[in-house]
Amino acid sequence: MKDLKEELIEFARKLNSTSLSPLRSGNVSVRVTQDNVEGFFITPSGKKYEDLKPRDIVFISLNEKYDFIKWFNTGLNPSSEWRFHQDIYLNKIEAKAIVHAHSPHATAVSAHRKAIPAFHYMVALAGGDDIKCAEYATFGTSELSQNIIKALQNRKACLMSNHGQVTFGKNLNQAFELAEEVENICHQYINTIKLGKPTILSSVEMNKILEKVKNYKKD
Ligand SMILES: [Zn+2]
């Protein structure tokens, strides 16, 4: 099995190479138990992803700040957005990896602080008949975490007002692919509304789609 830190670095670099999150914006994490402590590995702040080494990856435990302070003093700081990663892992047992991106189209839609309705059936990939937008709060705050948790109710992805998007999955690949899908859906949505008000799929139709997606995703 590939080392989890190596895998995390690979996906952090993909944030840049796929233009999902340019420069140093965006971050990725993966759930891990280290020395019997439950927590997660996360990308550090202040270092270009192309220069990342496994030793730069930061471990944060799920039980509050003690470990954070411990790790804080050992070298690189974790991403300044570590808090909502921790809160998602605490609230979503099924979340094994998280991708957060300031992807251009998702960020553009997020600035309007509205959910994306079922203008296309692929919206179902996020887990429901729309993709919600978490209310605005300053980055790094617990208030932002709480807003994200609310928007992620029965969902695996959401937009974040005036900020970007966040997704989770059962591994890094799945979380990353979902972030790419959300970006694509937002791009399509922007084009769609340029032509006027689209027809939205009914909840009956979306329930059918959600059932299909559930079966399709079984592996
Ligand atoms: Zn961010």
Side-chain angles (χ1 to χ4, degrees), residues 21 25-27 81 84 100-102 139 144 160 163-165:
S21 221
S25 67
N27 35 70
E81 301 188 278
F84 73 72
H100 165 55
H102 299 180
F139 79 93
L144 178 58
M160 298 156 64
H163 190 152
Q165 58 149 316

Side-chain angles (χ1 to χ4, degrees), residues 61-78:
S61 90
L62 290 186
N63 45 17
E64 282 305 313
K65 325 284 183 305
Y66 172 77
D67 295 274
F68 173 63
I69 291 159
K70 192 171 104 189
W71 291 106
F72 185 86
N73 292 325
T74 60
L76 289 173
N77 296 343

Side-chain angles (χ1 to χ4, degrees), residues 177-197:
E177 270 192 27
L178 184 54
E180 288 184 302
E181 294 282 7
V182 169
E183 174 61 7
N184 192 34
I185 288 166
C186 288
H187 192 176
Q188 291 164 340
Y189 187 54
I190 290 170
N191 283 336
T192 301
I193 56 178
K194 278 183 195 163
L195 298 172
K197 206 166 177 245

Side-chain angles (χ1 to χ4, degrees), residues 129 202-212:
D129 60 6
S202 69
S203 52
V204 173
E205 180 59 17
M206 281 307 283
N207 282 340
K208 273 198 256 174
I209 304 292
L210 286 161
E211 205 50 42
K212 269 178 175 281

Side-chain angles (χ1 to χ4, degrees), residues 49-172:
Y49 289 155
E50 66 198 55
D51 299 333
L52 280 186
K53 301 272 183 306
R55 64 169 182 272
D56 302 326
I57 299 301
V58 183
F59 175 81
I60 299 180
S61 90
L62 290 186
N63 45 17
E64 282 305 313
K65 325 284 183 305
Y66 172 77
D67 295 274
F68 173 63
I69 291 159
K70 192 171 104 189
W71 291 106
F72 185 86
N73 292 325
T74 60
L76 289 173
N77 296 343
S79 160
S80 56
E81 301 188 278
W82 63 272
R83 193 186 298 270
F84 73 72
H85 288 254
Q86 187 186 57
D87 288 323
I88 292 172
Y89 289 123
L90 284 168
N91 280 276
K92 300 272 184 187
I93 192 130
E94 68 276 30
K96 305 292 184 202
I98 295 170
V99 171
H100 165 55
H102 299 180
S103 53
H105 298 94
T107 301
V109 177
S110 82
H112 291 267
R113 303 188 177 188
K114 283 183 185 150
I116 300 177
F119 76 102
H120 192 295
Y121 71 85
M122 291 289 268
V123 159
L125 291 179
D129 60 6
D130 64 3
I131 300 175
K132 305 223 180 291
C133 186
E135 280 180 35
Y136 184 79
T138 310
F139 79 93
T141 60
S142 328
E143 191 190 352
L144 178 58
S145 286
Q146 294 323 307
N147 295 347
I148 290 171
I149 300 297
K150 202 170 150 201
L152 284 177
Q153 200 176 2
N154 302 317
R155 300 285 187 276
K156 292 179 284 189
C158 72
L159 301 181
M160 298 156 64
S161 289
N162 306 84
H163 190 152
Q165 58 149 316
V166 61
T167 65
F168 68 82
K170 63 182 178 188
N171 53 46
L172 279 164

